[in-house]
Amino acid sequence: MKTSQFQKKLLNMQENLMNFALALTSNYEDAQDLVQDTFLKVLVNSDKFTNDHNFKGWVLTVMRNIFINRYRQLVRIQKIIDSATDIHNLESVADSGFDRPDSACHIHDILRAINGLNKTLRHPFVLYLKGYRYDEIARKLRLPVSTVKSRIFSARKILKTQLKDYVGS
């Protein structure tokens, strides 16, 4: 399918996408974000679509997968928050240090440490930080799940050692 035809078909689906996004999110702004992200992902991956497939079904599947991945990421974040032992003593955002000038140095140091990992450790670790599950990372990198887990564990161990001055600060 030519690029202009592909884009035209996608634009013609805008109303269908918005309706499906509203059904998934139950929120207009979240639905708009989901439609926009779907457009972007579909356009970036247009080469993966073959003419013998159902275009509408393919695009709606992309949207559904984006929604599911966001939901999983939200659940992971919620688990971290819920596992706090004493929620009343958690730092507030204002007290977190992110508004202090030295916090930029901390972030820079953390990013430098992550980027300093060798590629075999860094790549699975970064994918894990982005919210991918172990099995998804394994498929993407064509590695056994046990290897992915081992590399992420090793990356954490190295980073913990390198960033020991920041733990608890």
Side-chain angles (χ1 to χ4, degrees), residues 22-36:
L22 280 168
L24 291 171
T25 64
S26 301
N27 178 292
Y28 187 76
E29 288 80 19
D30 291 341
Q32 285 181 315
D33 289 343
L34 184 56
V35 169
Q36 184 177 13

Side-chain angles (χ1 to χ4, degrees), residues 124-139:
F125 183 75
V126 169
L127 290 172
Y128 182 76
L129 288 178
K130 289 182 178 180
Y132 288 93
R133 295 186 328 251
Y134 291 125
D135 61 319
E136 293 171 327
I137 297 168
R139 271 196 309 276

Side-chain angles (χ1 to χ4, degrees), residues 33-34 36-42 61-71:
D33 289 343
L34 184 56
Q36 184 177 13
D37 290 344
T38 302
F39 266 80
L40 180 64
K41 186 135 188 158
V42 166
T61 299
V62 169
M63 177 179 276
R64 186 196 58 176
N65 290 342
I66 291 170
F67 175 77
I68 289 169
N69 288 337
R70 281 185 183 172
Y71 176 77

Side-chain angles (χ1 to χ4, degrees), residues 10-64:
L10 186 58
L11 285 174
N12 288 337
M13 285 190 58
Q14 191 166 4
E15 187 177 336
N16 290 345
L17 289 171
M18 189 62 181
N19 289 336
F20 187 51
L22 280 168
L24 291 171
T25 64
S26 301
N27 178 292
Y28 187 76
E29 288 80 19
D30 291 341
Q32 285 181 315
D33 289 343
L34 184 56
V35 169
Q36 184 177 13
D37 290 344
T38 302
F39 266 80
L40 180 64
K41 186 135 188 158
V42 166
L43 290 171
V44 167
N45 294 294
S46 63
D47 59 319
K48 295 179 182 167
F49 177 75
T50 57
N51 281 335
D52 60 339
H53 286 91
N54 174 359
F55 183 75
K56 183 178 179 180
W58 181 70
V59 174
L60 293 176
T61 299
V62 169
M63 177 179 276
R64 186 196 58 176

Side-chain angles (χ1 to χ4, degrees), residues 82-136:
D82 289 346
S83 67
T85 54
D86 186 1
I87 199 156
H88 299 290
N89 290 323
L90 289 176
E91 290 182 338
S92 70
V93 175
D95 296 334
S96 67
F98 286 113
D99 57 346
R100 295 189 334 235
D102 63 333
S103 67
C105 295
H106 297 311
I107 292 169
H108 177 72
D109 291 341
I110 293 167
L111 291 174
R112 186 176 29 200
I114 291 171
N115 288 330
L117 293 169
N118 70 48
K119 187 177 179 180
T120 58
L121 298 179
R122 182 178 63 243
H123 199 88
F125 183 75
V126 169
L127 290 172
Y128 182 76
L129 288 178
K130 289 182 178 180
Y132 288 93
R133 295 186 328 251
Y134 291 125
D135 61 319
E136 293 171 327

